[in-house]
Amino acid sequence: MTADPQDTNANNDTKHRIAIVDDESGVRQTLVRGLERFGYICRPFRSGVDFLDSLEFEIPDCVVLDMRMPELDGLGVLGKIPAEAQAIPVIMLTSHGEVSLAVEAMKCGAVDFVEKPVSIKSFADKIAGHIERSVELRRQVAEVEACKSLIARLTSRESEIANQIVHGSSNKEIARALDISPRTVEVHRANIFKKLEVRNAVEFALTFERAKFAARPASVNC
């Protein structure tokens, strides 16, 4: 990392929290000192395991993640980031300019791949851009989690009927498929709509559609 002394007063009003995950203490210290000059609140972690443990208590606004670390490397960390933090931008940091690693990191959900060394100012600007772009994604993820929580309220029978409704089955068709009366289906349908806090079939369908949203792409190699 290289310093930019002339920019020490830039972006002092920024208060975004940055997690810096790197096993090299020198890199952590340089990034913390440099990014704090641009108004960021930095929290350093010496391992991916420590960082993942911290997510139980605090979700950062951006993650700077070293690609090569002992115990759990950058790709391994990406694959273990929980759903509630999936929309947080992750910037991979590496000393190894391997195209295959960059491609794999992007498949696993990283938003950028940066080679060391990089100037602190350009890095701070890059972080700011990714955080700004992540705002809408984070809103979507919060909405998805809310929809999943609503769906989790359903009983097993209600879930069974709800899945039939999603696929366009009528009350009579559901009744025949489940060997119950249409009236029973109507009662369950009303209870389902109440639990999902929806007023009609359109809102019902949107709730299930939103619950399918995935912020970070899944990869078997992550």
Side-chain angles (χ1 to χ4, degrees), residues 2-15 30 32-40 119-122 124-125:
T2 57
D4 301 279
Q6 70 273 25
D7 295 305
T8 54
N9 294 321
N11 297 336
N12 283 333
D13 57 341
T14 304
K15 295 298 179 184
T30 299
V32 169
R33 292 170 183 169
L35 293 176
E36 283 182 346
R37 292 192 293 107
F38 288 86
Y40 291 109
S119 78
I120 293 296
K121 182 182 185 305
S122 64
D125 290 343

Side-chain angles (χ1 to χ4, degrees), residues 129-145:
H130 285 304
I131 289 176
E132 182 178 352
R133 286 188 289 274
S134 75
V135 171
E136 174 59 19
L137 185 58
R138 295 173 73 173
R139 184 196 65 76
Q140 291 176 3
V141 168
E143 189 175 73
V144 167
E145 291 306 309

